[in-house]
Amino acid sequence: MGFYVRFSSSVDARQVFGEMTKRSLYQWNTLLKSLSRDKQWEDVLCQFGQMVRDEEKPDNFTIPVALKACGELREVKFGEMIHGFVKKDVTFGSDLYVGSSLIYMYVKCGRMAEALRTFDELEKPDLVTWSSMVSGFEKNGSPFQAVEFFRRMAMASDVCPDRVSLITLVSACTKLSNSRLGRCVHGFVMRRGFSNDLSLVNSLLNCYAKSRAFKEAVNLFKMMVEKDVISWSTVIACYVQNGAASEAFRVFSEMMDNGTEPNAATMLSVLQACAAAHDLEQGRKTHELAIRKGLETEVKVSTALVDMYMKCFSPEEAYAVFSRMPKKDVVSWVALISGFTFNGMAHRSIEEFSMMLQEDKTRPDAILMVKVLGSCSELGFLEQAECFHSYVIKFGFYSNPFIGASLVELYSRCGSLGNASTVFNEITSKDTVVWTSLITGYGIHGKGTEALETFNRMVTSSGVKPNEVTFLSILSACSHTGLIHEGLRIFELMVNDYRLVPNSEHYAVLVDLLGRVGELDAAIEIIKRMPFSPTPQILGTLLGACRIHQNGEMAETVAKKLFELESYHAGYYMLMSNMYGVKGEWENVEKLRNSVKKRGIKKGVAESLIEIRRKVHRFVADDDLHPNKEPVYGLLKELDLHIKDLENSAYLESEVDSL
DNA sequence: GTTTCCTAGA
C-alpha cells in the first residue's frame, strides 16, 4: 500500500493511525517522530510499547526517538531496557545516532557513569557524541570535567569543534565562573569565523555576565550587530545582578523600543530588577505587561511575580498572585514561604509550609527546607525546631551542608546552644558556612569566649578557611562581649593573614567595638582611614556610641551627616531625640519630632516572641498604634533612656497558633 | 527521516 501523509500535528497522526489495522515500520516511525516534535513524551513511550507488542522491530530511527522521550521523562528504567535491546543487536553497535541518544538519555537522568561507559564502548565517536559528553558533564555539575573532555575532543585529530560544541564549552566556562577561559574561547570563536553566530555570541555574553566580567559583557553587547530576545534578556539580567536596577529598566525599554518582543525570561529579569529596587509601581506595571503578553500564567513568571511583590513589601498582592497560579512548583513555594518571613510574617511561612505538605503534595527540596528552617529560626520556636529537625532526617536532607548550617543557626536562635553544637558535631564535612553558623550562634548569645574558641579551632585545625561572613560573626561576637583586644587582633588577622577586604559591615562592627569602650577618637580615626565614605550604618553605630558615652557635641556632628545620607530611618531620629531628652533639651526633641512627622517617617514595628506552653506569643511594640497616647518624649524624663526599652514600652499581644 | 547548543529559585 502506497501511503504518504504529511501530518500537520500529532493529533491528526494518531487519528489516521487509529483507523489502520497493520502499520509498517516506516509508519510507526512517522507517528513517533510527529509525537516527539510536539513534545508528547508519554505518548511516544506508549506508542513505542505498543509497537513492540505488535512485534514490529524498532530500527535505528525508532530508537533515538524513544530514548529522547526517556531522557525528557527521566525514565531511566525504560531507557536501560532499550539499551539492553540495543546491546543484543550488533547492527546498532556502530550507529552513532543510537549511541549519542543513549548518552543523552543517561545524561538527562543524571547517570554520568553510564553515559561515560556508553561513550567508551563506541568504536569511533564523532563530534556529536563527544559534544553530548561535554554537555553531560556541564549539565550534571562537573563543568571542570566538561572542559577537560572538550580538550580531549579537540586533541583527537578526526573531529573539529563546531558551533554547538563551542556553545557547550562556553556554558561550562560560565558554570566555572571563569571569564578568563571565556575570553580564550571568545578569541578562538573570532579566529574560526564564528563571530556572527548569534547563539554562540549570546552564550559568551552570558559567560561574561555571570563571571563578574561586567565591562566585557556590556562591551560585547554594544558591539553586537544582531541581537535577539536572549541577548537583551541576558544583559538585563547582568545589570540586575550587578545591582544596577535602573540600568536594567533602561535597557528593557530600549529593547521594547527596538521592537523585540519580551519572553518569559525577559520578564523574570525585569521582575528581579523591580524586586531589587523595591519598586512596587514598576513591579505592578511589569505585572500588567506580563498579563498583556500572556506570560503571567507561566510558572516561572508567576513565581517571579510572587517574589517581586514580597520584596516590594506587599505580601497581600504576592499571595493573590500565588493563589491564582494554576500550577505551582517547589520554587513557587520557596518564593511564598521565604517572602512571608522577609515581611516579618514567619508564622505565615510555617502555616503555608504545612499547607503545602497537606494539600499540594509538593515534595520539599533542600532549598525549601533551608527557607523553612530560616522561618522557624525567626520565630525562635524550639518545639517546632525539633519537629523540623526530625523531618530533615526523615527525608534525607541531613547530609546537605546548607541544611546542616541552617539547623545549627536555628538551634542557636532558639537558645538551644547544646543542640546547636550537637548538630554541628554530627556534620561530617563541615564547610565555612557550618563553622560560621556555630560562631554566630555563640555570638548572639553573648558567649564570646566560646565563639573565640570555636573560631580558633576553625583556623588552627579544621582546614576550612574563614570568609568575610565568618569574620563579621566573630568580630561582632567580640564586640558584644567586650573582647576589644581580641576583636582588634582578629580584624588584623582578616586583613593581613587572610587578605580579605573588609566591607562596611566589618567597619561598622569595628566602630561598635571601639565605641562600646568609649574609644570614640579611635573609632573616628578608623572611619577616616576607610577606603570608602562612611555608610549610614557606620555613622549610626558611632551615634549610638556617642549616646552611651554622652558625647553630645560629637553626636550632633554625626547626626547631621547621617540625616543627609539616610533621611528615612526612624531609628536614628529616635537615638538623637533620646539624646536631647536626656539633657532635657525638649525644644530640640520637638523640632526633630516635627521633621520626622513632616517627612512621613514611620518607626518600624518592634516585635518580641516568646514561647509559653508550646505556643508562640507575639508582642508588637508600637506607640503609633495608640493615637491618643501622650507623645513619647513626655515619658522620657521618667523612663530609662535605652532605645530598646523605649521600643518595648507598649505591647500588643496576638497569638500565633502553633502547628 | 534521527543525535549535541544560548536566558531562568539558595
Side-chain angles (χ1 to χ4, degrees), chain A residues 286-305:
Chain A
T286 313
H287 187 178
E288 278 166 27
L289 184 71
I291 294 173
R292 277 206 302 281
K293 301 283 176 196
L295 297 166
E296 193 211 17
T297 45
E298 285 206 22
V299 183
K300 293 216 156 136
V301 175
S302 35
T303 300
L305 280 166

Side-chain angles (χ1 to χ4, degrees), chain A residues 462-511:
Chain A
S462 77
V464 179
K465 269 191 182 170
N467 64 14
E468 288 87 348
V469 186
T470 320
F471 276 103
L472 189 62
S473 281
I474 187 64
L475 281 171
S476 91
C478 289
S479 159
H480 286 135
T481 332
L483 297 163
I484 311 303
H485 295 294
E486 287 79 357
L488 293 175
R489 184 183 63 83
I490 282 167
F491 191 82
E492 271 173 25
L493 189 75
M494 170 181 181
V495 178
N496 296 335
D497 293 26
Y498 285 93
R499 304 260 160 219
L500 294 171
V501 183
N503 62 26
S504 66
E505 288 182 276
H506 295 100
Y507 280 107
V509 177
L510 197 60
V511 167

Side-chain angles (χ1 to χ4, degrees), chain A residues 27 37 86 95 122 126 134 153 163 243 264 296 300 341 344 417 466 493 506 513 545 567 632 656:
Chain A
Q27 284 159 357
R37 204 176 42 217
V86 166
D95 192 301
L122 294 172
D126 68 343
V134 177
M153 175 183 91
R163 55 178 296 277
E296 193 211 17
K300 293 216 156 136
T341 301
L417 285 168
L493 189 75
H506 295 100
L513 199 71
S567 50
V632 177
V656 183

